[in-house]
Amino acid sequence: MDFNLFMNDVVDAARKDIKEAGYEELHTPESVDEAMKRQGSTLVMVNSTCGCAGGVARPAAANAIHYDKRPDHLVTVFAGQDREATEKARGYFDGYPPSSPSFALLKDGKIVTMLERHDIEGYSAVDVIGKLQHVFDEHCEEI
């Protein structure tokens, strides 16, 4: 099997998972800036092709939002794929090193908190759902 074809399939599946969960993909630095200018809370899921993204982060991203409180906006950038968009998004995460997968919660374009890879890797999707919903309880409005 051709490695590049295999990786294209992996990336396509990862993109499809997060889009079907209701997250808006940001492919360019300009689309990141537009998203960060929105008023309210924004959850940024930094997607990746690693096992903890597919087995934990994306399922958590899809399920955590079915809750009484949730962010106003759901967006995603793809580390290693949409590099410029990911770099631009990480520029909004002041005080946090690059991490993927990860979740950043911003309010009015300013970082509030972040779940980094070490908060995801080694945990179950249910654990991460709980962590995200705890963040939503603290920083988001009831829908």
Side-chain angles (χ1 to χ4, degrees):
M1 170 176 260
D2 181 270
F3 179 76
N4 289 328
L5 288 176
F6 171 76
M7 284 310 297
N8 286 341
D9 288 346
V10 170
V11 169
D12 289 346
R15 287 186 189 279
K16 183 179 175 199
D17 283 350
I18 201 70
K19 281 175 42 181
E20 286 180 352
Y23 287 72
E24 173 190 359
E25 284 190 295
L26 306 176
H27 298 285
T28 66
E30 296 79 18
S31 65
V32 170
D33 281 338
E34 271 183 39
M36 297 307 153
K37 288 179 185 172
R38 296 177 187 150
Q39 293 296 306
S41 55
T42 301
L43 182 66
V44 181
M45 193 270 183
V46 180
N47 203 354
S48 121
T49 58
C50 71
C52 63
V56 179
R58 284 193 300 276
N63 290 287
I65 59 175
H66 300 285
Y67 194 60
D68 292 340
K69 292 183 177 183
R70 65 175 259 184
D72 299 311
H73 311 284
L74 304 170
V75 299
T76 183
V77 293
F78 207 127
Q81 301 301 313
D82 299 324
R83 293 172 197 237
E84 291 91 11
T86 302
E87 184 178 327
K88 185 64 151 179
R90 286 176 171 156
Y92 286 90
F93 308 159
D94 291 337
Y96 294 94
S99 180
S100 60
S102 61
F103 296 92
L105 184 72
L106 295 94
K107 274 202 163 181
D108 301 328
K110 304 288 184 204
I111 188 76
V112 174
T113 192
M114 192 153 181
L115 291 182
E116 300 172 84
R117 182 184 180 108
H118 66 81
D119 298 309
I120 298 166
E121 188 174 36
Y123 292 92
S124 72
V126 172
D127 292 334
V128 176
I129 290 168
K131 291 177 183 189
L132 286 168
Q133 290 177 341
H134 178 73
V135 167
F136 299 166
D137 276 334
E138 287 187 10
H139 303 287
C140 298
E141 301 297 321
E142 194 164 329
I143 54 169

